[in-house]
Amino acid sequence: MHQRILLRARKGPFDVVTAEETYERDWIGKNSGNLVFSHAAHKLLATSAAEITPSRFRADPRDADEINEKYDVFVIPLANAFRHDYANRLMSMTRLIERLKIPVVVLGVGAQTDVDGDLEYLRPIDEPVKAFCRAVLDRSHSIGVRGEISETYLRTLGFSAVEQIGCPSMFLHGDSFRVEKAKATLGTEDRLAFVISPYVRALAPIVRHHHQRYPNLRYLAQGLYTLGTLLYGDAPNLRGKTDDMPIHTSHPLFVEDKVRMFVDPWPWMEYLAGFDFAFGTRIHGTITALISGTPGYLLPHDSRTLELARYFDIPYRLMRDVPADVDAAQLYEEADYTALNEGHKERFARITAFLAKHDLGLSFADGDSATRFDEQVRQTVYPQAVRPASAHTTDELLARMQWLRDENRTLQQKLKAHRAQPLREQVKQAVGGRVRRMLSR
């Protein structure tokens, strides 16, 4: 049976967008890790009967009638959506869901508090979370959460139809997944991937130590802000600034061309496959390494990262327990992937059962659907790594400036055309829904 799926995703897995446009229009949703789990969800659902459309992150209640007509189900992969600074967007999503008549499936949502799972910290967002869960459960059998902390939180709010299913990203290869160490010890000449969060200040001495000790270290960035710094350098008010963390172009990792960022998961994974070890605070940076076959080690600094490490048995140490002089070779030596490997089939069976309960197909159980997806990935030409501007030739930088000039000219033309319209037309474009219908009478 043909199934029309609206998938909450910023873009689809085969939508090719340049790094410049990705930055200008934020095609990664502030963090490239978002694409790892949304594209993995797309692959899981990509059966021969499925027609999958990315939502572009739109959550406008005025779209409800159109969604009800055009789609059979709305699938919502989420990250740490139960957090303070996401409450307004959660409420917008809730208002949309409340107007939907089709099934709504939440595919892995998480709460964000400290590593001790302090639920009192979440109390200010209890009501928005309750409203969201009620709206979803009116249209769904259960809610899929990322781990035990999120499940506990929802149960304290009175919801029992909650299932731990982890994150879709770890199931990119179905049930066939193993991580093995290629060597007994990690040497200083080995390739080391740093997957760190620039805002975790406790990482500063660890960054300094590893930069000095490992010449083949690379910092794999994920944030939109860093993408802008790589493309265009520091913002005017930050030029000449220095910091112990790699946030300015003056940092040695930028100066020595040791920063990379990808705007699609596929070249990112291909790049990481060439490394010996990856470690840091980024959960999807670590997961991207693991699903590339590269041993990864997580340093959780909050509940959202910790519960996924626990659920998938990813080797970890709490960031607060990591000494400033920790060395990657120590982490590599203590990393044990036995539980991660041996538990993967059972975890995959759990998310498979969750999809089946919600009448969603699975590409890995649909003939060669998963293989065809992978083949389409191989045939798609994605942008390669974004590097510091200082690493580019003059011609490459001129091409980037040309793109900006053309983009500015296009925006100016649109603005000019908009200003030339009668006021009535401007108002009709600026508003929607009820007001638009009133004006058209």
Side-chain angles (χ1 to χ4, degrees):
M1 182 181 69
H2 186 66
Q3 189 172 47
R4 302 167 301 170
I5 300 173
L6 179 63
L7 181 69
R8 184 185 182 274
R10 188 69 182 95
K11 67 174 185 174
F14 310 111
D15 295 332
V16 177
V17 182
T18 66
E20 291 83 0
E21 188 177 349
T22 295
Y23 176 70
E24 294 299 322
R25 294 177 174 80
D26 187 13
W27 283 108
I28 59 174
K30 299 290 187 291
N31 187 321
S32 55
N34 290 322
L35 300 183
V36 180
F37 69 80
S38 67
H39 289 189
H42 190 120
K43 180 181 177 180
L44 287 172
L45 300 171
T47 66
S48 55
E51 178 187 344
I52 306 173
T53 304
S55 71
R56 312 294 185 202
F57 279 7
R58 279 184 61 86
D60 191 333
R62 294 170 297 186
D63 295 337
D65 290 342
E66 182 181 356
I67 292 172
N68 287 326
E69 180 182 348
K70 292 177 61 175
Y71 302 101
D72 301 309
V73 59
F74 185 20
V75 179
I76 309 177
L78 284 170
N80 49 322
F82 299 155
R83 67 181 193 268
H84 288 214
D85 64 356
Y86 200 80
N88 288 336
R89 281 173 284 179
L90 193 67
M91 288 188 285
S92 294
M93 205 181 309
T94 300
R95 288 192 290 270
L96 169 62
I97 294 170
E98 287 172 340
R99 296 185 58 178
L100 295 181
K101 299 176 182 178
I102 60 175
V104 175
V105 183
V106 173
L107 196 60
V109 64
Q112 182 172 345
T113 181
D114 63 17
V115 290
D116 296 314
D118 179 13
L119 299 185
E120 289 306 309
Y121 174 77
L122 298 173
R123 292 308 168 208
I125 63 168
D126 281 358
E127 292 309 314
V129 173
K130 284 181 183 178
F132 174 81
C133 291
R134 282 194 296 265
V136 170
L137 289 173
D138 282 345
R139 296 155 182 83
S140 184
H141 299 290
S142 60
I143 291 177
V145 297
R146 299 170 91 180
E148 86 282 1
I149 296 173
S150 298
E151 179 182 4
T152 300
Y153 174 52
L154 292 191
R155 290 189 181 278
T156 66
L157 297 182
F159 299 102
S160 57
V162 182
E163 300 181 57
Q164 290 185 44
I165 60 171
C167 177
S169 54
M170 281 290 282
F171 304 111
L172 185 69
H173 305 304
D175 67 353
S176 57
F177 172 68
R178 289 191 69 80
V179 177
E180 305 285 357
K181 295 182 190 178
K183 51 186 67 181
T185 59
L186 190 72
T188 56
E189 296 299 317
D190 288 330
R191 297 200 71 191
L192 181 63
F194 227 171
V195 290
I196 58 172
S197 314
Y199 51 83
V200 180
R201 303 299 305 179
L203 285 166
I206 300 174
V207 171
R208 189 182 314 111
H209 166 75
H210 285 83
H211 167 252
Q212 294 170 351
R213 183 172 171 79
Y214 292 88
N216 292 316
L217 175 143
R218 295 294 182 271
Y219 164 37
L220 275 294
Q222 293 179 214
L224 188 71
Y225 173 86
T226 306
L227 177 59
T229 304
L230 286 167
L231 289 171
Y232 306 116
D234 295 311
N237 61 319
L238 298 175
R239 288 171 190 160
K241 298 282 187 181
T242 61
D243 197 281
D244 290 335
M245 293 294 287
I247 58 177
H248 302 307
T249 57
S250 59
H251 193 278
L253 291 175
F254 277 87
V255 174
E256 297 169 18
D257 188 24
K258 293 183 176 180
V259 184
R260 299 288 185 274
M261 183 166 171
F262 293 87
V263 296
D264 293 282
W266 322 108
W268 185 4
M269 289 187 284
E270 185 178 356
Y271 182 73
L272 276 172
F275 281 75
D276 298 292
F277 190 50
F279 82 103
T281 50
R282 291 285 197 188
I283 181 60
H284 282 101
T286 304
I287 287 176
T288 303
L290 292 170
I291 58 180
S292 305
T294 298
Y297 195 106
L298 186 69
L299 305 177
H301 60 95
D302 56 20
S303 65
R304 67 190 172 97
T305 51
L306 176 61
E307 70 175 354
L308 279 177
R310 286 176 174 168
Y311 184 81
F312 287 110
D313 288 312
I314 298 170
Y316 75 90
R317 275 199 212 177
L318 295 181
M319 184 64 218
R320 69 185 180 194
D321 297 334
V322 176
D325 62 351
V326 70
D327 192 275
Q330 299 171 260
L331 303 179
Y332 182 87
E333 183 179 1
E334 72 182 51
D336 184 347
Y337 300 98
T338 304
L340 184 151
N341 291 329
E342 293 183 352
H344 186 74
K345 286 186 183 295
E346 188 277 331
R347 287 185 286 264
F348 182 69
R350 194 179 302 170
I351 195 170
T352 297
F354 179 86
L355 294 176
K357 177 188 291 187
H358 292 85
D359 299 317
L360 291 166
L362 176 71
S363 62
F364 292 96
D366 183 56
D368 65 349
S369 290
T371 303
R372 284 189 288 105
F373 181 97
D374 290 339
E375 181 58 31
Q376 189 172 352
V377 167
R378 282 190 290 271
Q379 293 177 2
T380 304
V381 180
Y382 298 99
Q384 291 304 300
V386 183
R387 299 164 61 183
S390 58
H392 290 273
T393 66
T394 301
D395 286 345
E396 288 171 331
L397 292 176
L398 285 174
R400 187 169 291 169
M401 295 304 108
Q402 179 68 46
W403 186 90
L404 278 176
R405 190 176 74 172
D406 292 344
E407 180 72 2
N408 181 62
R409 183 183 294 120
T410 300
L411 290 174
Q412 291 294 333
Q413 289 172 346
K414 287 182 178 178
L415 182 60
K416 184 178 180 180
H418 178 70
R419 286 173 172 167
Q421 288 178 331
L423 178 61
R424 177 185 176 86
E425 292 300 317
Q426 291 187 36
V427 172
K428 286 175 69 175
Q429 287 191 12
V431 298
R434 184 177 303 171
V435 175
R436 183 183 292 123
R437 288 192 292 272
M438 289 172 61
L439 286 170
S440 64
R441 288 176 182 172

